[in-house]
Amino acid sequence: MYQGETTLNIALIHHPVVNKRAETIGSAVTNLDIHDIARTARTYGVAQYFLATPYDDQQSLVKELLAHWETGHGATYNPARKEALSIVRLVASLEMAIAELTVKYGKRPMLLTTSAQHRETTIDYKEVAAKINNGEPVLLLFGTAHGLAPEVIGLSDATLPPIKGCTDYNHLSVRSAASIILDRLLGS
Amino acid sequence: MYQGETTLNIALIHHPVVNKRAETIGSAVTNLDIHDIARTARTYGVAQYFLATPYDDQQSLVKELLAHWETGHGATYNPARKEALSIVRLVASLEMAIAELTVKYGKRPMLLTTSAQHRETTIDYKEVAAKINNGEPVLLLFGTAHGLAPEVIGLSDATLPPIKGCTDYNHLSVRSAASIILDRLLGS
């Protein structure tokens, strides 16, 4: 528990996600997704940032990267980065993240998805912010590639409304989308 | 002029910026700063996204990258990315960006800086949003490395308040900070 830590948790899902033809795939872990999202998450008081990938080689890469910043040269070179990455938790699947949080909080977290498209079961930002302020555990999911696979969306309790600018262009990076959504939920 | 285009412009400054010892330096252009910030900027109706670097080799890299997405393989592979990058404008200095905008709008744009630290001449998000809604030209500056050099800050008309989460951690990437600030100014 760190100063300002909330009950909001996030997970970046690398499998199952969809490609541009809406086929279910697994994506590769991106270095900057780990760093940028961890820095934003730590700024806004996210309790844990789960990286979910079932692939052994991808898990090894993540472990190596985290070790560099947690105990290797990076830890002394940039202690602020170490602090951000300390909330990152590598898991093989979304189910593992849910299980860990269920144990931690003594109840299953509310599962929220995000999407560039409008979906039916939406909840607004204020409502989620109020739940977090009340200490309710929430797990917010972000998809890599072209987004979360339908079976992940099917597991969720609600979906946040898509982020809109004042144009019809709608192709934010997951790093930008995560930053904006965390600011909307927890920014002062 | 594209559908939803506003009078907000942004510039990512690569020189003069400061390093962690507060010495004035020039930084290298980062591929993902171009892509992520262009995608967010295009989503929110930013008119032009200036990349300012005085270095010939860095300018060549940027031109090569933009050509790939504007007329090369990238343009057909991912037309949405082409659209985002079409607002990117390479300039040698901040002065060039100011001059181009002064010609375009017939008056010098209001120059705004952003910072992780509190500074004296602050203006709030709503006030800037109102100016943009009124069609006043604004140029919002982002620094790379450890931030804008004092001489750039000295040129600016006002500074936006720093972004705060609910913790004392304050190390957002420039990509995340730009996303959050554009959403605060132009998000619906």
Side-chain angles (χ1 to χ4, degrees):
Chain A
M1 192 83 187
Y2 61 84
Q3 180 270 322
E5 183 182 317
T6 70
T7 51
L8 178 63
N9 297 267
I10 62 175
L12 185 65
I13 307 296
H14 295 80
H15 176 275
V17 290
V18 294
N19 64 14
K20 67 197 293 188
R21 290 183 296 276
E23 299 158 343
T24 294
I25 57 157
S27 69
V29 172
T30 302
N31 184 33
L32 219 61
D33 285 351
I34 307 178
H35 284 273
D36 273 20
I37 298 175
R39 291 164 72 180
T40 307
R42 180 62 184 76
T43 298
Y44 285 96
V46 166
Q48 295 217 273
Y49 167 24
F50 292 93
L51 280 177
T53 174
Y55 306 115
D56 287 343
D57 61 336
Q58 296 290 309
Q59 292 184 0
S60 298
L61 274 173
V62 173
K63 283 177 195 161
E64 204 175 317
L65 183 143
L66 293 177
H68 170 77
W69 292 100
E70 281 164 13
T71 57
H73 176 63
T76 45
Y77 176 74
N78 188 345
R81 194 60 56 88
K82 174 184 177 173
E83 202 176 344
L85 293 173
S86 70
I87 64 167
V88 176
R89 181 91 183 90
L90 176 65
V91 286
S93 65
L94 169 59
E95 288 67 28
M96 281 304 302
I98 296 171
E100 287 197 10
L101 293 176
T102 303
V103 170
K104 177 178 176 176
Y105 294 109
K107 65 188 274 195
R108 187 178 181 279
M110 181 187 197
L111 216 60
L112 282 183
T113 52
T114 52
S115 171
Q117 274 82 47
H118 258 299
R119 292 208 202 94
E120 281 188 24
T121 52
T122 51
I123 187 168
D124 67 25
Y125 289 91
K126 278 186 188 156
E127 207 175 328
V128 177
K131 283 181 191 293
I132 298 165
N133 283 335
N134 285 337
E136 288 189 44
V138 174
L139 176 57
L140 175 60
L141 308 181
F142 295 99
T144 53
H146 283 251
L148 298 164
E151 60 261 46
V152 176
I153 296 166
L155 281 178
S156 72
D157 300 305
T159 300
L160 282 169
I163 296 164
K164 291 268 181 198
C166 41
T167 73
D168 51 9
Y169 188 87
N170 188 17
H171 302 277
L172 293 173
S173 73
V174 68
R175 296 168 291 281
S176 295
S179 299
I180 293 164
I181 291 170
L182 291 178
D183 186 56
R184 288 187 178 191
L185 290 175
L186 299 171
S188 53
Chain B
M1 190 86 186
Y2 62 84
Q3 180 270 322
E5 184 182 316
T6 69
T7 51
L8 178 63
N9 297 267
I10 62 175
L12 185 64
I13 307 298
H14 295 80
H15 176 273
V17 290
V18 294
N19 66 12
K20 66 196 293 190
R21 288 183 297 276
E23 299 157 344
T24 294
I25 57 158
S27 69
V29 172
T30 303
N31 184 36
L32 218 62
D33 285 349
I34 307 179
H35 283 272
D36 272 20
I37 297 175
R39 292 164 71 179
T40 307
R42 181 61 184 79
T43 298
Y44 285 95
V46 167
Q48 295 216 273
Y49 167 23
F50 293 93
L51 279 177
T53 174
Y55 305 115
D56 286 343
D57 62 334
Q58 296 291 308
Q59 292 184 359
S60 299
L61 274 173
V62 173
K63 283 177 194 161
E64 204 176 314
L65 183 143
L66 293 177
H68 171 77
W69 292 100
E70 280 164 13
T71 58
H73 177 62
T76 45
Y77 176 73
N78 188 345
R81 194 59 57 87
K82 174 185 176 172
E83 203 176 344
L85 293 173
S86 70
I87 64 167
V88 175
R89 181 92 184 86
L90 177 64
V91 287
S93 65
L94 169 59
E95 287 68 28
M96 282 303 303
I98 295 172
E100 287 198 11
L101 293 176
T102 302
V103 170
K104 176 177 176 177
Y105 294 109
K107 65 188 272 196
R108 187 178 182 277
M110 183 188 194
L111 214 62
L112 281 183
T113 53
T114 51
S115 170
Q117 273 83 44
H118 258 298
R119 291 206 204 97
E120 281 188 24
T121 52
T122 50
I123 188 169
D124 68 25
Y125 290 92
K126 277 186 187 157
E127 207 175 328
V128 177
K131 283 180 191 293
I132 298 165
N133 284 335
N134 285 338
E136 288 189 44
V138 175
L139 176 57
L140 175 61
L141 309 181
F142 295 100
T144 53
H146 283 252
L148 298 164
E151 59 261 46
V152 175
I153 296 166
L155 282 178
S156 72
D157 300 306
T159 301
L160 283 169
I163 297 164
K164 292 269 180 196
C166 41
T167 72
D168 51 9
Y169 188 87
N170 188 18
H171 302 278
L172 294 173
S173 73
V174 68
R175 298 168 291 280
S176 296
S179 299
I180 293 163
I181 290 171
L182 291 178
D183 186 57
R184 289 188 178 191
L185 290 176
L186 298 170
S188 53

